[in-house]
Every structure is written in structure tokens, then in C-alpha cells.
Amino acid sequence: MNPHDPHGEAVAASFKWQSTSQGMSAKSSNIDEIYACDVFDQRKMRERLPKHIYNNVLNTIESKGRISMDDAEVIATAMKDWAIERGATHYTHWFQPMTGLTAEKHDALITPDGQGSIVYRLSGSSLVQGEPDASSFPSGGLRATFEARGYTAWDPTSPAFIVRGTNYATLCIPTAFVSWNGEALDKKTPLLRSIDALNKQAMRILKIFGTDDGVHSVGSTLGSEQEYFLVDRNLYFARPDLVSCGRTLFGATPPKHQQLDDHYFGSIPTRVNAFMADFEEELFRLGVPVQTRHNEVAPGQYEIAPLFESTNIACDHQAILMDTLKRVAGRFGFVALLHEKPFAGMNGSGKHNNWSMSTDTGVNLLDPQDETHTNRQFMTYLCAVIRAVHLHGDLIRAAIASASNDHRLGANEAPPAIISIFLGDMLTDLIEQIEKGSTSRTLKGGSLDLGARSLPDLQRDSGDRNRTSPFAFTGNKFELRAVGSTASVAWPNTVINTIVADSLSYIAGEIEKQLGDKATDAKRDQVVLKVLQGVVKEHKAIIFNGDNYSDEWQEEAAQRGLPNLRSTAEALPALERSVAKKLFKKHKVLSGSELESRVEIFAEKYITEVCIEAEQMVSIARTMLLPAALKHQRNNAETINASEQAGVECGQLRESLDAFADLTMRFQSQIEKLEAALTLPDQPPLEQCTYCRESVIVAMDELRALGDALEVHVESAIWPLPSYQELLTLR
């Protein structure tokens, strides 16, 4: 790259990408041949394990037992043999620490045989337990820096898989990660505990209705959509802010961006389509069931959506998807941006967290079925969710809080920070009936006559979708639309599982207390309706079917007592409430110290990210933008002086130059203000979060406004950063 014109060289290089470059092959694999070929799943275990050991694995997956060390030795040998056949040379205990996405330490599958050769080996003890350095990962005070021992524990419910690169293949064994004392240092352990808590309470409801026959467990299910941007890697590396922060810290909005709404669901560019094909093939090989790909709202923005799975596996698959996305993008000369707001003034990226509950026999407990008003069991699960979100909406908000997601929430592109529930016409009518103490009808959607003989009549849903709602019922599931695109989905779903388990516990307890022994079906239905009537009356304030972006809703929500936690600094204290501590402790999801550690880690992460961005912003402003502005100012001054010496009147031009010089001086002054704001007060982490929000971020916003104003005036040949128009135009 030419050091004299890195901007121009980056733009030129982006044009040179050819379809013949690596990764742009025309290959097309049969999905049925490659699907899950790199996953040591139940099918492969059935083929390779003795029948009794395979059955023991199934019992473990179904929470009906634990794998013995003798069985682990046999499983490890079978897993090792399969992995070697697939080209693996190393294995790793693949886990998810509290910061970052995933972590791994690779160990060779080989060991010397003492005779100058090697043998392949993976022992049962090595499969079941690993020992990474716990002091090297954030613990939020759970561990001192000198307390280094930590353990990984094999999770048999999530299958092992092989990750491939250009010249390597590594066996990845999904594990939990805990301290020497057993405290959870990861995202998986609390998630698994929350699934157990939900199962326990959901089974009580099934037992009340007599529908538990043949059901061994209830778990949550998840389908998590992923939004992302693609930018050319040459342009990416010409933007220090993208490299270090994942988002642009400066950038003027181009004349055309997304205002015509012509990108959403539009034709996918050829290079992007080729990337998507390879990306999806890799996911299929890893058993990740993705189904939908399309353009998103903003130029250069895309989405991929997987099918529903059990929440634990879905969370693992989401992490695999994000890792694979970034890895495959490089083959096509792209960088995948997962930041929630890479480009100011344009649509941000999130994850739509589609959550439900299902029995191990395949029954979706949030499916209303046809005559919903007769389905007391569905009503019970529905009301449990309503109660949970009303009581603990602040915990949901805290679960999605981050410095990056703060740029998106409430910006009329993602749900506002007020957590509410959308139910639609049919369920809202049902809730109103429950409140009155009698249910007698189910609203139907009917059909749509499209007015052309060649077009079929369409079955109309009983309720519309509400894209402004943060927690919306969408047919047979709830969609939490506010999860950030960079986030792991494990923590939000841990919270949802726990709060719903608590509400199921409350409702089950009330029903059991009033029902007594040997109750008839009629009495049970009467008692259930009475209990649900009380739940609805107390918690209906959380239901809102209107425009969540409107000013009127902001005012109404305040009257209803719903919190409006606009930033991470406001949201995180919810995790310190005694209610939250009692809730997680009661259901054995997190101890008091484990919850406190997460508050500290989340706060420190927020502070660190804000400070990194601010320091990078100062660096770009001082070393790149200010020199460009001064050069532009000098060039214009020289031109005006020469023109005036030639007898040309330049009064208006000189006024413009004076205004630009004033803008440049204000820009320089604001750089110094931001630098000063970076001296953080000596305060506890949550108070420092507030300071960062009220001082550092405010100074950053002011500096950005001035910098973007400069970009509009400085000639493009001088401006050192690739523009939004260049970044967002895929070639």
C-alpha cells in the first residue's frame, strides 16, 4: 500500500478483487452428504459405541444419569478414532468464558510410544476434564490472580465437532468452565443450570394437567437470527477505528444509504452470494441448521437465520456460526462486522432471540393450537411468561446491556430500552377474557382475497407482527429482538429460563395449594382460571401492542411503572438487587458471589470498551483528520490569496474559509476535552460506568459531530479515511 495515499490505494485494491480468487469456487455439495459430517453426534456414537454405553450416553443427555469413567474411556477412544479419520491432529476443550466469544487450548492427539514413534491417544479423563489457567480469564473477584487452577467439564449434551482451516483440523469438545471451587467462570454452566430449573417447574405444570405421561423433561428451545455487515478487507484495514473497535468512530452519512429501502430483501451481490454458499456449507458440515439468508435494511448488511434447537446446543451453534462467519469472510476478501452499530445514521445489527418451551416428546408448550380458549395448559405457560417479564424486565434489559448495544437500543431501529410484551389481537383478546374470569372464544384471522384469479386465497394470521416490540409473541414463541449482534445468546437465555421457571413455580404452587388432592378436571380448570385471572390483573401492564417508538408510549410506560433503562450504566444495577440475588440462588442458577462477579465483569468490560474507543478516536482525530483539515485549509488559503492577487473578488470564499478555520479550531479544542475526560475518577465500577456514559461518551459524540462536519468540506483526495459510500458499496 502506498504510504502517501493509503485511502486511495485501499479503494483501488477493493476494485481489483476477482471472482477467481480463493474461495470463489463453483462447487456445490449435496447437503445430505455433508450435513454434520464433522460432528460426533448421536448417529456416529450409535455406530461406534457398544450398545449399553451408547444408551448410557442417551440417559445422560436426557438427564437420567451420568457417564462413568469406564464408559468415558470407551467414548474417548471412539471419538479419537473418528476425529483422526477426519484428519484431526489436535483436540481442545472448547468453552465460553464470561468475556469474549469462545476459548480453546489445543493439545496434540499424539504421544510418544517410547520407541521413536508415536501413538494416537485421548483418555477418558482427558475427555471429561481439562485444566486451563483460571487466572487468565476474568472472574469478577471469584478468583485471585495467584489462584490459577480451573477446570473444564465435558458437556455430553452438546456434540463434539471438528473445526477446519487451510492446513489443520481440530477436535472441539464442548465444555463448561469452572474454578477450583466449582464457581461458574463461563456462560454455559449457568445456562445448563437454568435449563434444569425450567424443566423442574415446567414439569409441575404438566403434572397438574395430567399431560406428563411419557415426558421425561421440558427444555427451552431457541432460534437466533444473526445480522452482520460485510466490508472489503482493504478498506477495513484503512480504517483504524474498524480494526480496533469494530465500528466507525467518524463518518459522514452519504447522500444515498438506506432511505430508499431498496437493499432489504434485494438481489444479493455475486461475491456475497458466493461467500454465503461457502459459509453455509461449513455450517452444514458442523451440523448447524441454517435456513434463511437475505439482505438486511442497510447497504452491506445481511442476515442468516438458523432453525430451532434445544437452547444449549443453539447457543453453542451461535458461537460456532459467529466464528465461522468471520473465518470464511476472509476467503472472499471481506471482513465481517458484528458490531451493533458499525455505521452511524444507518440500521444497526442485532440478534432476534426466538425462545420457546418444548417437551422431549416434541410438544411446543407455547403453541396456542386452534381453539386456544379451551387450552388451559397453554394459558398457564403464557401467563407465566407475562408475569416473569413484568416482574423482571429489568433483568432482561441488563442481560442485553453492553457498550456496543447502547448505540442501537432505542434508536428507532431496534426495540426501545423499555421491555414490554406484544401479544397480537387473538392472545390479547384471550387475556382480556381471562381477566373477566371466563374464556369462550378464539379470534380467527380468516382469509385474504387478493383480487386476482391466478392468486390463491391466503390464510390470515389472527394477529399482525410488531417489529417495534422488544418481546413479541410470534405464533408459537417469543422473540426478544433486543439482543446485540456481538453478544453470546447464552446469558440472555439463562435469564429468560430462570425468570420463567420462577413464575411457573409460583403459578404451580398457587394451583396445587387451591386444588388439593383428587380434584376433578372441572375443578382443576376452575382453579387454574382463577389463579391466571389474578396473574393477569397484577401483570397486564407489561402488555403493549402499539408503537414502541412513540413518545406517547414513553409517557404511558412510565405511568405503568415500567423501567426505561436507556444505557448499560442504568441497566446493570438491576443485577445487584436483592430480588435478583434471591431469584438466581433459589433456582440454583447462580450463587450470590457468582452473580456479583458478573456485574463486576460486565461493568469493567463496558468501561474498557468505551475507553479504547475514546483513545482510538483521539488518535485518529489528532494524527489523521486534523492534519487533513489543516492541509485543506492551507490549500484553500493559498488558492484564495492567489486569486485575490490576480484581481479576483473572493469575499464569499474567504468567509467560507474563516468558517472552516473556526470549525477546525473547535475540532482541535474538542480533542483536548476528550483527552481530559479520559482521566477516570477513582470510583467503584458501576459509578465509573455512569461517568463514562455522562462524560466520555458525550465528549466523543461532540468530537464526532465536528469531525463529520469536516469530512463534508475536505476534498476526498485529502481525507485519509475511506468514506461510508466506499465502505458500503460492495463490488
Side-chain angles (χ1 to χ4, degrees):
M1 185 176 289
N2 186 341
H4 301 295
D5 186 18
H7 175 183
E9 289 292 324
V11 173
S14 72
F15 277 101
K16 292 179 181 177
W17 181 269
Q18 300 293 322
S19 63
T20 55
S21 302
Q22 62 170 334
M24 295 287 286
S25 64
K27 64 180 178 150
S28 179
S29 304
N30 292 326
I31 296 176
D32 59 341
E33 294 177 358
I34 64 168
Y35 190 79
C37 65
D38 281 340
V39 184
F40 194 66
D41 52 18
Q42 290 186 23
R43 179 171 60 88
K44 297 181 184 66
M45 285 192 285
R46 185 171 61 247
E47 294 170 352
R48 292 171 176 267
L49 295 176
K51 186 176 180 179
H52 72 283
I53 294 180
Y54 172 70
N55 288 334
N56 290 342
V57 174
L58 291 186
N59 286 335
T60 300
I61 294 172
E62 295 171 359
S63 301
K64 293 188 288 187
R66 291 185 177 178
I67 293 174
S68 68
M69 190 54 66
D70 289 340
D71 286 356
E73 287 289 345
V74 178
I75 297 167
T77 299
M79 187 184 294
K80 175 259 299 180
D81 291 344
W82 169 82
I84 291 169
E85 291 170 15
R86 300 295 300 166
T89 59
H90 289 69
Y91 75 95
T92 181
H93 291 104
W94 183 83
F95 60 99
Q96 301 166 47
M98 284 189 278
T99 58
L101 193 59
T102 61
E104 51 198 68
K105 181 185 75 170
H106 295 195
D107 289 303
L109 286 166
I110 61 171
T111 189
D113 65 355
Q115 301 177 5
S117 188
I118 59 169
V119 293
Y120 289 95
R121 185 178 178 186
L122 177 65
S123 67
S125 58
S126 297
L127 169 64
V128 170
Q129 181 175 322
E131 188 178 332
D133 188 346
S135 66
S136 299
F137 293 93
S139 68
L142 287 175
R143 308 287 290 162
T145 55
F146 62 84
E147 296 175 314
R149 193 180 299 277
Y151 300 122
T152 54
W154 175 38
D155 174 18
T157 66
S158 186
F161 57 94
I162 293 174
V163 169
R164 300 184 179 277
T166 304
N167 61 350
Y168 67 88
T170 303
L171 171 66
C172 297
I173 303 167
T175 61
F177 177 43
V178 299
S179 73
W180 184 72
N181 290 324
E183 299 115 335
L185 299 177
D186 66 339
K187 305 178 186 111
K188 179 183 279 283
T189 304
L191 177 66
L192 292 173
R193 294 172 183 170
S194 76
I195 293 170
D196 288 344
L198 184 69
N199 169 54
K200 180 179 178 180
Q201 304 306 328
M203 287 295 296
R204 290 174 67 185
I205 301 298
L206 292 183
K207 186 176 181 180
I208 287 171
F209 287 98
T211 53
D212 59 329
D213 189 34
V215 178
H216 297 105
S217 64
V218 172
S220 57
T221 57
L222 176 65
S224 184
E225 306 161 30
Q226 177 73 53
E227 295 174 341
Y228 61 95
F229 281 82
L230 293 174
V231 298
D232 186 275
R233 63 181 287 114
N234 297 287
L235 300 173
Y236 170 84
F237 284 112
R239 295 276 322 208
D241 46 3
L242 284 180
V243 173
S244 62
C245 306
R247 75 178 182 103
T248 55
L249 301 174
F250 294 98
T253 304
K256 181 183 181 299
H257 44 98
Q258 66 184 54
Q259 63 269 58
L260 293 177
D261 296 324
D262 55 347
H263 189 257
Y264 190 58
F265 275 28
S267 176
I268 301 173
T270 301
R271 181 176 164 195
V272 176
N273 230 338
F275 151 74
M276 287 180 171
D278 266 24
F279 174 37
E280 290 175 3
E281 180 170 319
E282 290 230 3
L283 293 177
F284 290 146
R285 296 176 69 91
L286 292 167
V288 181
V290 293
Q291 184 180 43
T292 303
R293 61 167 101 138
H294 63 84
N295 291 356
E296 259 296 335
V297 174
Q301 187 185 32
Y302 306 92
E303 179 180 292
I304 186 167
L307 296 173
F308 272 79
E309 302 177 277
S310 68
T311 298
N312 181 39
I313 292 177
C315 289
D316 284 356
H317 280 172
Q318 180 61 214
I320 292 171
L321 184 151
M322 294 169 73
D323 281 336
T324 306
L325 173 62
K326 292 184 286 187
R327 187 174 69 254
V328 177
R331 300 176 194 167
F332 296 83
F334 291 134
V335 172
L337 302 180
L338 298 179
H339 195 284
E340 285 78 0
K341 197 71 171 179
F343 304 102
M346 277 169 244
N347 202 63
S349 297
K351 285 188 179 80
H352 297 165
N353 191 92
N354 296 282
W355 178 93
S356 190
M357 292 176 283
S358 183
T359 68
D360 61 344
T361 57
V363 177
N364 184 343
L365 299 176
L366 287 178
D367 184 352
Q369 301 179 0
D370 291 333
E371 299 299 318
T372 312
H373 68 280
T374 65
N375 192 343
R376 293 282 191 269
Q377 180 173 287
F378 166 79
M379 296 179 205
T380 303
Y381 287 109
L382 175 67
C383 288
V385 175
I386 292 171
R387 180 182 183 274
V389 177
H390 185 228
L391 286 177
H392 304 294
D394 58 344
L395 294 183
I396 295 176
R397 175 65 183 90
I400 56 172
S402 69
S404 53
N405 211 21
D406 279 359
H407 294 286
R408 172 175 167 265
L409 293 180
N412 288 2
E413 64 181 54
I418 303 169
I419 302 297
S420 64
I421 288 178
F422 168 82
L423 291 180
D425 295 342
M426 187 267 285
L427 290 188
T428 299
D429 180 72
L430 179 66
I431 289 296
E432 290 172 352
Q433 293 181 62
I434 293 173
E435 184 178 10
K436 294 176 182 177
S438 176
T439 58
S440 59
R441 66 179 181 274
T442 299
L443 292 184
K444 303 295 184 180
S447 61
L448 294 173
D449 182 355
L450 302 185
R453 288 182 299 170
S454 61
L455 297 177
D457 291 342
L458 299 182
Q459 292 302 306
R460 182 175 176 269
D461 287 319
S462 57
D464 201 355
R465 298 183 69 184
N466 189 329
R467 308 291 290 182
T468 72
S469 176
F471 205 88
F473 189 81
T474 56
N476 58 5
K477 62 187 183 299
F478 280 95
E479 181 182 41
L480 175 60
R481 295 179 55 82
V483 181
S485 52
T486 58
S488 163
V489 290
W491 176 232
N493 284 283
T494 297
V495 171
I496 295 172
N497 288 342
T498 305
I499 64 176
V500 172
D502 190 66
S503 281
L504 288 171
S505 174
Y506 168 80
I507 291 173
E510 289 297 307
I511 294 173
E512 290 163 352
K513 181 170 61 178
Q514 297 182 35
L515 197 57
D517 298 328
K518 298 180 180 180
T520 63
D521 290 348
K523 183 179 179 182
R524 179 198 64 209
D525 288 352
Q526 183 182 11
V527 168
V528 168
L529 187 59
K530 181 181 178 183
V531 171
L532 299 185
Q533 182 183 30
V535 170
V536 169
K537 287 182 177 180
E538 189 171 354
H539 302 290
K540 65 181 180 179
I542 197 68
I543 301 169
F544 179 66
N545 292 336
D547 183 358
N548 287 253
Y549 297 153
S550 68
D551 293 336
E552 292 79 9
W553 169 235
Q554 305 282 321
E555 297 171 3
E556 184 179 337
Q559 294 173 358
R560 295 188 185 191
L562 303 182
N564 188 0
L565 307 173
R566 296 177 176 86
S567 69
T568 296
E570 296 171 90
L572 287 182
L575 297 172
E576 290 195 317
R577 294 189 303 140
S578 60
V579 172
K581 294 177 180 178
K582 290 177 182 177
L583 172 75
F584 287 107
K585 183 179 180 180
K586 172 185 175 182
H587 296 284
K588 301 179 180 179
V589 175
L590 290 168
S591 67
S593 58
E594 288 175 324
L595 183 59
E596 289 169 3
S597 73
R598 279 150 179 79
V599 177
E600 182 174 329
I601 288 171
F602 298 155
E604 289 178 350
K605 184 172 185 286
Y606 174 85
I607 296 163
T608 302
E609 288 182 358
V610 170
C611 289
I612 289 173
E613 288 189 352
E615 290 173 9
Q616 182 65 77
M617 197 172 201
V618 168
S619 175
I620 293 172
R622 190 179 296 284
T623 65
M624 299 178 75
L625 304 193
L626 185 59
L630 292 172
K631 183 177 182 180
H632 175 82
Q633 183 176 308
R634 184 183 69 246
N635 290 349
N636 278 10
E638 291 173 352
T639 301
I640 292 171
N641 289 336
S643 298
E644 288 177 339
Q645 290 175 7
V648 179
E649 175 60 40
C650 297
Q652 190 171 356
L653 288 176
R654 188 163 289 282
E655 288 179 7
S656 296
L657 177 60
D658 290 342
F660 183 85
D662 178 69
L663 176 61
T664 303
M665 290 177 62
R666 288 189 285 128
F667 182 69
Q668 184 172 10
S669 176
Q670 190 60 36
I671 295 173
E672 295 170 357
K673 289 181 180 178
L674 178 55
E675 282 185 309
L678 276 167
T679 303
L680 303 187
D682 185 13
Q683 296 174 331
L686 286 179
E687 293 181 25
Q688 284 194 338
C689 286
T690 301
Y691 172 82
C692 285
R693 180 72 192 90
E694 296 177 352
S695 298
V696 180
I697 292 176
V698 170
M700 290 174 67
D701 290 343
E702 292 173 357
L703 182 61
R704 174 167 193 151
L706 294 169
D708 293 353
L710 288 174
E711 181 182 352
V712 173
H713 292 89
V714 175
E715 57 188 288
S716 59
I718 294 177
W719 195 252
L721 300 175
S723 68
Y724 272 22
Q725 186 164 325
E726 292 161 341
L727 286 164
L728 295 169
T729 304
L730 291 175
R731 303 165 181 91

